[in-house]
Amino acid sequence: MNIQSIYDFIVKTGLTTFKVKHSKAALPARVQAQKLDKQSKKGAIFAVRDKSHFLETKVKGYIITSKETLLEDAANLTHFTPNVYRTFGYQDEERRFIYGFEEKNLLQINTFVVDIDTVAYSREDILMACMDESIGLPTLIVRSDRGYQVFFVLDEPLFISNNHSFRGLKVAKRISDNLKRSLQSVEADRFCNDFGFFRMPTEQNIVFCDLNNTYTMKQFINWSTQCDSDIERPLFVVPTKGTPKASVMESDWLQALIQAVDVKGQKGQIGRNNTLFTLALICLQEGWSEDRTYDFLDEFNSKLSHPLKGRNVQTIIQSAFSGKYHGAAKEYVEALLDLYVPGKSFEVKLGGNGWYKFKKAREERERSHFDEWEQDIEKYLTAEYNVSEPFVWRTQKEICDKVGISSSTLNALMKRSTKVIKFVSGKGRYSKTGWTTVALMVKHVLFSTQLKKSLYKQYIHQLQVEVLPLCLNNEAIELFQSKLAIYLSQTVPLVGEIRLDGSG
């Protein structure tokens, strides 16, 4: 594992290669790097030395503008922002508290990160969930004492601008939300900041790494669009003009929410701060002043079983009215209602007038694209797949009939597909054809590895219980067991070491 390659891979072209001052690199290398660095705009990432430095209203950390600094300081960092920001600075003269890590200040998005705030699942559980329920295998999994963080790295950065009201950022946030939704089986945190601070990857905490697993924005968008279609969620809203917005303050769902008193939150849930912040955004969307909003939220807060302090309410309102936000997210409102108004069903409308653009139905298009045929074959093979067998054995005619694809189109698809695998065993009349996908093959390898580990542990247990007592004394058995425990902890194979090429 080359940690420098991993950092280069994540931050991409967002930072300069070497420090501007006091670099340890040789002069020729610095000169060459400066020429390359000038080809793209540079920004900065933020770093924190200890988790306790995330304070309630500010962050104690520092700014990194070069890969050289990142590599030198990585061992002493706990968290960083893998995505790069455009402007940055310190709030105080002592240069302790940082500012600039706001979504609309993003220069480029390099990776999507999903936070799993529990250790109840193994690395293999997460990998299986990624393959079965999400976009595919991740690039990196980092483990901490409390859980995991799963990195899905882009092959090329997505550059963020304010064009079309930050449409690129909105698309990225929708992708991030769908990634978190897709991994609910391993308790992914749906309310974690999409592009904030995440655990710093080190040689000690990386439990899975395969830099071949990257995704293009087109792949993310196509996958995310399908996720939205499955839950009948619109791709985006085009606002209309000339029609006044309908007020939501008298809606049944809002009245039910503000009557809830047992709002506190716990691990993996949104609590008081996010509830008040969402309500403040609704007030902002309604055109209320900050004073009117404070009166409303102060009354709501006072009714809670565990109210926040008054100054915290004021801080929340100031953040909501800072100009960074336009209104509340429907998904957050629905999550709050599920948590704090259980057993009731509401149709949440936030008062905006507009029409929704949905993906055109496939049958309405003139022809199906190759990537859609590929998805159809993947779905069919996944449905027919048995985890103990790497291939689904079908003739080409059977595949064509089941999927509804012509033989010539299938042949053309197989020449360009990077996901579907065709394997022919034997010759002539005795030959048979096997079909699988890269994801299903990895799944089979994972299953086989886990099965072998299970059988091996059963054998070791039988050895300890039945064989050793016949030939060793208690002291020798205890010594053997302690050495065995150390050995087993060091010989668990990394999935990242599995290769599907000719090397085996």
Side-chain angles (χ1 to χ4, degrees), residues 1-9 71:
M1 183 186 301
N2 186 326
I3 201 70
Q4 180 176 353
S5 297
I6 292 174
Y7 296 156
D8 285 342
F9 197 72
L71 186 62

Side-chain angles (χ1 to χ4, degrees), residues 89-107:
Y90 294 95
Q91 295 181 1
D92 57 326
E93 293 182 359
E94 291 79 16
R95 297 168 66 87
R96 294 177 301 167
F97 300 105
I98 52 180
Y99 73 85
F101 45 92
E102 301 161 356
E103 288 181 347
K104 290 186 178 179
N105 188 37
L106 280 165
L107 172 65

Side-chain angles (χ1 to χ4, degrees), residues 124-133 443 446-447 450:
E124 285 75 17
D125 292 333
I126 296 170
L127 290 169
M128 289 287 194
C130 289
M131 288 189 293
D132 288 346
E133 301 158 23
K443 188 174 181 178
L446 281 170
F447 172 80
Q450 288 180 301

Side-chain angles (χ1 to χ4, degrees), residues 121-125 127-128 143 148 207 444-462 464 484 487-498:
Y121 303 95
S122 67
R123 175 191 59 192
E124 285 75 17
D125 292 333
L127 290 169
M128 289 287 194
R143 174 162 180 164
Y148 302 86
V207 296
H444 171 72
V445 173
L446 281 170
F447 172 80
S448 300
T449 302
Q450 288 180 301
L451 181 61
K452 289 177 182 177
K453 283 168 60 179
S454 176
L455 294 173
Y456 180 56
K457 288 179 180 178
Q458 290 178 23
Y459 168 75
I460 292 297
H461 177 73
Q462 185 178 11
Q464 290 178 274
L484 178 65
Y487 172 76
L488 290 176
S489 69
Q490 295 176 344
T491 55
V492 178
L494 276 178
V495 179
E497 295 173 353
I498 296 173

